Amino acid sequence: MISVQNLHKSYKDNEVLKGISLTVEKGQVVAIIGPSGSGKSTFLRCLNVLEQADKGQITIDDVAVDIANLTNKKTELLRHKTAMVFQNYSLFKNKTVKENITMPLVTVQKKSQREADSIAENLLAQVGLSDKENFYPNSLSGGQQQRVGIARAVALNPYAILFDEPTSALDPELVGEVLQVIQSLALSNMTMIVVTHEMSFARQVADHVVFMAEGYIVEQGTPEEIFNNPKQERTKKFLQQLSVEKQLVVKELVI
Amino acid sequence: MKLKNIWSMLLVIVVVGVLTACSSKDSSKERGSVKADEKVLNVGTAAGRSPFIYQKDNKVIGYDADIIEAAAKKAGYKVKWTTAEFEGLFGSLDSGRIDTIANQLSVTTEREEKYSFTVPYLYSGSVFAVKVDNENIKSVDDLKDKVVGVGLGTAAEKELKDINKNNDFTIKTFSEDPTAELKEVSLGRVDAYYNDQVQVKTTIEKAKLDDVKIGFGPTSWGNIAFPFTTDSKKVEDISKALEELTNDGTLKEISEKWLGIDATKKQ
Amino acid sequence: MKFDFMYFLESLPQLLKYVYITLGVSVVSMIISFVISIVLVLIDRNRTKVLYPLSRLYISFFRGTPLLVQLFVLYFGLPQIFPEMAVMTSLQAALIGLSLNNAAYLSEILRGSLNGVESNQMDACLSVGMTKLQAMRKVIFPQAIRVAVPSLGNNFIGLIKESSLTFVLGLAEILAHAKMLAAESYLYMESYLAVAVIYWGLTVIIGWLQRRLEYRLEVPYL
Ligand SMILES: Nc1ncnc2c1ncn2[C@@H]1O[C@H](COP(=O)(O)OP(=O)(O)OP(=O)(O)O)[C@@H](O)[C@H]1O
Ligand SMILES: [Mg+2]
């Protein structure tokens, strides 16, 4: 179980997270939606301790920390519980596709090179990139890079995978291949928190949807509850705006 | 994998480098212990002034070299040579790395305040070198409003400044070799160049500077001697040896061999 | 005055005998200064307490004063204050002086190249559980080096030429031998041109090696 209690984070005077509490059950897929700047990325980064929150409690699986007395050791333990998939893929540019996956396994998890290699080969086959093993990230398309990013996260065998808008940097025609990979992960019972702007995807794949705005969780519930019967004005407004934008895009395309 | 190789190669090179440095340190210690028993005289030079002192086939030779070798031998020392840039010689002397300098050093009042000199082993007179067709510069008075070159930081520079008390002419300093300096004269960048007479003569001859000659001089004489730090006990040994060598004619012989004249007397 | 071409040719092999001194001093200094600069740049990135202002002071001093002065202070000045230091040989002093000086320049080169590495690379390393040091070694540094190689090559060529200053300490490297050759023969132009040709040859070789290295480091980005 992932349990976050009253998480706060400020950059200088700018309070970005104003007391976030959230529970995610094992195997659950949680989608986080919300307007730009509402603190979604910051929240994920705090879970992965890429940013250190100012206060609050985070429990992931058997690791429980109080931010107030976070030690280096605890940071490490907590970080090992999750893996991140980034919006801009963030593959290691100086490593081949395969090395991107094996290097963390060998350096961090102390697996043998052979074991790491076979894990990597397996996962690359699953995401359909066996033929790109020895390519460098720069020579791959965005969709291919993001699939490697996902394979790298899965290879770590974390308790949960955190996705930060995994498709929003992609050309529309490449979004599908990445969402497909995420969907198959969801089916395999992986615990996931996915920040996304793809509402149809959230509706389809997520067990639970969280709407964030201005540093708060405004509303959460099943996809059904959030998308069809939002209770909060702020949520309604956000969803309305989205559909208006969508219509505009459609109109533009028609004209 | 390849990067790893580079790293380990670098590591090996560093280790080897450090070891080399350490071993040379050891050998210097050995040298130190030899010094105590065998009476070594560490002599520094820039080895850049033929025929006085220069290097040939990695050996320091020349007039100064023969003199100090002879004196050291007489006093029971063995000479160990160190070559370094002129600017570094006094630093080496001050820090005790060398005992003395053999580099045609003039005895000046400033230097005398800081160092103890041996008796002079050469009297140098500096001269004004001019263009071969220049008949107008025959005395100090003729230098009025002219440009005169001289080596930076040399005793000659000090002398020249004393001559030019009234700022009658312009002094231009150079930090180069004697050939390049005398070429300033033939190129017309300076009207005259002030330097030691033997040096000027030899340079004109060896570098075949046909369009340069000695205008006039020497106007005064400088004493060339070996400087030691004031706390050195070797200065008296060498001084005494030099006096003996003057008396038995060895010095005169060495001078005639290298310089073609007896420069151990004023002439 | 005539140019004595024969003498020029003859002095080439004579001077080549001493290339190993110039090259050896430069290579060893380059390596030592590289190690020092890595420490400096790590201090810089971590803003380590106490050490950070000291490292800034170090860089400022060694970049802000002439190498010649630093060599003088190291070899002649310090032994007058600490007599034990007089055991230092001119070779050791040259290596130490050049290394300390060059490290200041290298650390600035490395700092610049490290800043050029995208910040998401460090995020990615940390997110997979690597420590900062592992991240530096495996990902950040190799990427920075690629950007740094042209500047490093420049720096090394500069170092080779600057190593001639160590003759003030009595380390007779190739330029010193050229000077002494010239003083002996009075053929200054010939000797200096010969040494110039050798220096030039060295830099051409280094430039060639540098481009090969650049090409190899460029492979992931083609
Ligand atoms: N490193 C940082 N330093 C200072 N301010 C930051 C930093 N990172 C984020 N912020 C600020 O925190 C707020 C929340 O940013 P965050 O990236 O979490 O939003 P988001 O919900 O992910 O938005 P988006 O949908 O655009 O990705 C923004 O106002 C942003 O300017
Ligand atoms: Mg974001």
Side-chain angles (χ1 to χ4, degrees):
Chain A
M1 196 181 72
I2 299 176
S3 155
V4 180
Q5 297 296 324
N6 197 26
L7 198 67
H8 287 262
K9 170 75 185 170
S10 305
Y11 292 109
K12 302 241 171 72
D13 302 335
N14 179 14
E15 191 169 23
V16 179
L17 301 179
K18 300 170 181 166
I20 301 287
S21 300
L22 179 69
T23 305
V24 180
E25 298 298 334
K26 185 167 172 55
Q28 213 178 21
V29 179
V30 173
I32 300 180
I33 59 172
S36 184
S38 55
K40 306 182 298 292
S41 299
T42 306
F43 176 58
L44 287 194
R45 291 171 65 83
C46 285
L47 286 184
N48 197 227
V49 214
L50 292 178
E51 303 287 351
Q52 189 174 337
D54 301 328
K55 67 178 200 217
Q57 287 89 40
I58 301 176
T59 306
I60 303 179
D61 197 16
D62 53 356
V63 179
V65 300
D66 189 332
I67 301 299
N69 38 40
L70 190 65
T71 59
N72 282 348
K73 185 79 201 142
K74 285 267 180 187
T75 300
E76 200 176 302
L77 283 174
L78 194 59
R79 205 177 258 158
H80 286 180
K81 285 289 165 187
T82 56
M84 265 306 242
V85 174
F86 298 88
Q87 181 171 358
N88 53 13
Y89 333 126
S90 299
L91 298 183
F92 307 127
K93 289 188 160 185
N94 59 323
K95 301 281 175 193
T96 63
V97 164
K98 191 176 182 179
E99 287 165 349
N100 260 274
I101 300 171
T102 58
M103 198 249 299
L105 297 179
V106 175
T107 53
V108 180
Q109 304 193 347
K110 308 292 175 210
K111 288 190 160 58
S112 71
Q113 187 66 45
R114 271 180 62 190
E115 194 184 348
D117 280 344
S118 87
I119 292 174
E121 281 155 22
N122 248 318
L123 284 170
L124 285 173
Q126 278 179 41
V127 298
L129 289 173
S130 291
D131 55 332
K132 303 288 187 198
E133 253 183 39
N134 296 318
F135 283 48
Y136 284 93
N138 255 29
S139 57
L140 301 187
S141 74
Q144 291 169 330
Q145 289 194 52
Q146 193 58 295
R147 282 186 277 157
V148 176
I150 295 171
R152 178 175 71 182
V154 173
L156 295 168
N157 195 21
Y159 181 79
I161 300 180
L162 314 173
F163 294 80
D164 190 4
E165 300 190 31
T167 57
S168 55
L170 295 174
D171 292 337
E173 69 270 23
L174 299 176
V175 171
E177 61 186 61
V178 172
L179 289 182
Q180 219 176 350
V181 171
I182 299 175
Q183 188 158 21
S184 68
L185 262 180
L187 292 176
S188 74
N189 245 357
M190 174 55 91
T191 311
M192 305 195 291
I193 302 179
V194 187
V195 171
T196 185
H197 284 306
E198 300 283 334
M199 295 306 148
S200 58
F201 173 77
R203 194 187 284 257
Q204 257 182 345
V205 178
D207 307 310
H208 192 79
V209 177
V210 173
F211 172 65
M212 270 182 78
E214 283 133 36
Y216 296 106
I217 292 181
V218 175
E219 190 170 357
Q220 52 182 312
T222 62
E224 174 72 20
E225 285 165 356
I226 298 295
F227 290 113
N228 297 346
N229 299 304
K231 295 192 181 61
Q232 302 291 328
E233 273 313 304
R234 191 74 186 77
T235 319
K236 285 180 196 162
K237 223 175 95 194
F238 173 71
L239 291 172
Q240 230 162 29
Q241 219 160 12
L242 271 188
S243 64
V244 169
E245 272 169 28
K246 211 167 194 175
Q247 275 164 13
L248 279 179
V249 172
V250 171
K251 264 188 200 156
E252 267 170 33
L253 284 176
V254 170
I255 295 164
Chain B
M1 193 61 196
K2 267 171 194 161
L3 209 69
K4 219 181 246 173
N5 284 342
I6 295 178
W7 278 113
S8 46
M9 207 178 75
L10 289 186
L11 197 75
V12 169
I13 297 178
V14 171
V15 170
V16 170
V18 171
L19 284 183
T20 322
C22 289
S23 67
S24 61
K25 183 174 152 191
D26 288 345
S27 68
S28 83
K29 266 187 197 142
E30 264 167 46
R31 237 185 275 146
S33 64
V34 169
K35 187 155 69 181
D37 312 333
E38 234 191 79
K39 290 233 283 187
V40 169
L41 188 69
N42 286 302
V43 184
T45 178
R49 300 189 68 179
S50 158
F52 297 109
I53 187 129
Y54 60 104
Q55 256 198 357
K56 194 179 172 93
D57 303 327
N58 243 341
K59 262 191 61 146
V60 180
I61 56 170
Y63 172 76
D64 291 31
D66 273 7
I67 300 271
I68 193 72
E69 298 257 15
K73 194 171 165 202
K74 188 125 214 153
Y77 291 90
K78 206 173 153 334
V79 170
K80 242 193 111 328
W81 289 102
T82 302
T83 49
E85 194 89 62
F86 182 74
E87 286 83 352
L89 291 177
F90 285 102
S92 290
L93 189 60
D94 292 347
S95 59
R97 289 193 164 82
I98 54 176
D99 295 313
T100 188
I101 299 170
N103 211 67
Q104 281 289 300
L105 274 190
S106 305
V107 182
T108 62
T109 40
E110 286 88 352
R111 286 175 185 163
E112 267 191 309
E113 276 170 23
K114 197 165 169 200
Y115 305 103
S116 353
F117 278 91
T118 59
V119 294
Y121 60 93
L122 184 137
Y123 294 96
S124 88
S126 289
V127 294
F128 289 87
V130 296
K131 256 195 185 159
V132 89
D133 53 4
N134 187 332
E135 299 299 335
N136 303 327
I137 298 182
K138 295 272 184 213
S139 73
V140 172
D141 295 337
D142 299 335
L143 291 171
K144 196 159 170 50
D145 298 329
K146 300 276 192 262
V147 180
V148 183
V150 71
L152 178 68
T154 60
E157 184 194 358
K158 233 200 130 286
E159 270 172 48
L160 191 63
K161 279 185 176 154
D162 287 343
I163 295 172
N164 192 28
K165 271 200 201 86
N166 305 327
N167 275 327
D168 289 330
F169 52 90
T170 310
I171 297 178
K172 224 171 139 183
T173 53
F174 295 87
S175 176
E176 282 155 46
D177 53 74
T179 313
E181 288 166 352
L182 282 181
K183 282 194 92 176
E184 296 291 318
V185 175
S186 58
L187 292 171
R189 291 191 200 143
V190 296
D191 299 303
Y193 202 95
Y194 191 62
N195 201 354
D196 172 71
Q197 65 168 335
V198 181
Q199 183 76 65
V200 170
K201 264 186 204 155
T202 324
T203 308
I204 289 175
E205 193 182 306
K206 291 248 191 126
K208 304 192 183 64
L209 296 170
D210 306 330
D211 48 359
V212 180
K213 66 169 188 188
I214 290 177
F216 69 98
T219 50
S220 62
W221 294 95
N223 297 350
I224 304 292
F226 300 110
F228 287 77
T229 51
T230 44
D231 57 357
S232 172
K233 291 174 184 62
K234 299 174 181 173
V235 60
E236 277 163 27
D237 294 352
I238 301 299
S239 250
K240 210 168 121 241
L242 282 173
E243 268 161 10
E244 285 171 31
L245 291 172
T246 314
N247 294 339
D248 70 8
T250 314
L251 242 49
K252 180 168 177 270
E253 233 170 77
I254 296 175
S255 175
E256 276 163 356
K257 170 183 164 201
W258 289 102
L259 312 176
I261 53 167
D262 179 9
T264 61
K265 296 186 185 68
K266 298 183 186 180
Q267 57 165 262
Chain C
M1 211 177 80
K2 267 188 62 208
F3 187 81
D4 187 341
F5 195 71
M6 273 317 287
Y7 187 80
F8 165 76
L9 287 182
E10 280 164 19
S11 47
L12 279 175
Q14 291 214 48
L15 291 173
L16 272 171
K17 277 192 298 195
Y18 303 104
V19 162
Y20 81 97
I21 298 178
T22 292
L23 214 51
V25 165
S26 308
V27 169
V28 174
S29 304
M30 187 72 185
I31 293 166
I32 298 175
S33 58
F34 194 72
V35 174
I36 300 174
S37 71
I38 289 175
V39 175
L40 285 174
V41 91
L42 288 178
I43 291 172
D44 181 272
R45 283 181 83 81
N46 288 324
R47 298 282 141 108
T48 317
K49 267 177 256 144
V50 187
L51 292 180
Y52 175 68
L54 284 179
S55 77
R56 293 313 303 172
L57 186 71
Y58 172 97
I59 291 168
S60 158
F61 173 79
F62 279 96
R63 289 207 315 166
T65 57
L67 174 59
L68 191 65
V69 173
Q70 294 161 17
L71 292 174
F72 262 96
V73 170
L74 177 69
Y75 193 57
F76 303 129
L78 291 181
Q80 290 182 35
I81 308 170
F82 310 105
E84 315 81 50
M85 287 187 70
V87 298
M88 187 165 36
T89 65
S90 57
L91 174 66
Q92 288 164 347
L95 290 178
I96 295 170
L98 286 172
S99 301
L100 291 179
N101 175 275
N102 200 46
Y105 288 92
L106 281 185
S107 75
E108 290 294 282
I109 292 177
L110 290 182
R111 196 167 65 93
S113 324
L114 283 170
N115 287 342
V117 176
E118 290 167 58
S119 66
N120 71 29
Q121 294 291 305
M122 182 52 102
D123 281 350
C125 291
L126 296 178
S127 83
V128 299
M130 293 165 79
T131 63
K132 272 194 176 165
L133 214 61
Q134 285 171 331
M136 289 301 274
R137 242 184 55 211
K138 304 253 171 190
V139 176
I140 311 295
F141 224 77
Q143 291 187 27
I145 283 295
R146 163 183 166 253
V147 185
V149 165
S151 309
L152 292 178
N154 254 346
N155 174 279
F156 185 54
I157 288 171
L159 184 61
I160 284 184
K161 289 185 282 195
E162 282 202 327
S163 70
S164 66
L165 281 181
T166 60
F167 187 41
V168 294
L169 313 186
L171 187 71
E173 41 63 67
I174 189 164
L175 185 58
H177 281 283
K179 278 182 188 168
M180 291 190 282
L181 213 56
E184 184 235 319
S185 63
Y186 281 82
L187 295 171
Y188 286 87
M189 206 54 194
E190 289 79 352
S191 311
Y192 282 132
L193 260 179
V195 83
V197 165
I198 293 173
Y199 273 116
W200 193 7
L202 278 180
T203 52
V204 167
I205 295 170
I206 292 161
W208 177 75
L209 288 172
Q210 177 193 325
R211 269 190 307 283
R212 277 189 50 141
L213 184 62
E214 273 175 41
Y215 179 77
R216 271 183 50 183
L217 293 173
E218 200 62 34
V219 166
Y221 306 87
L222 293 177

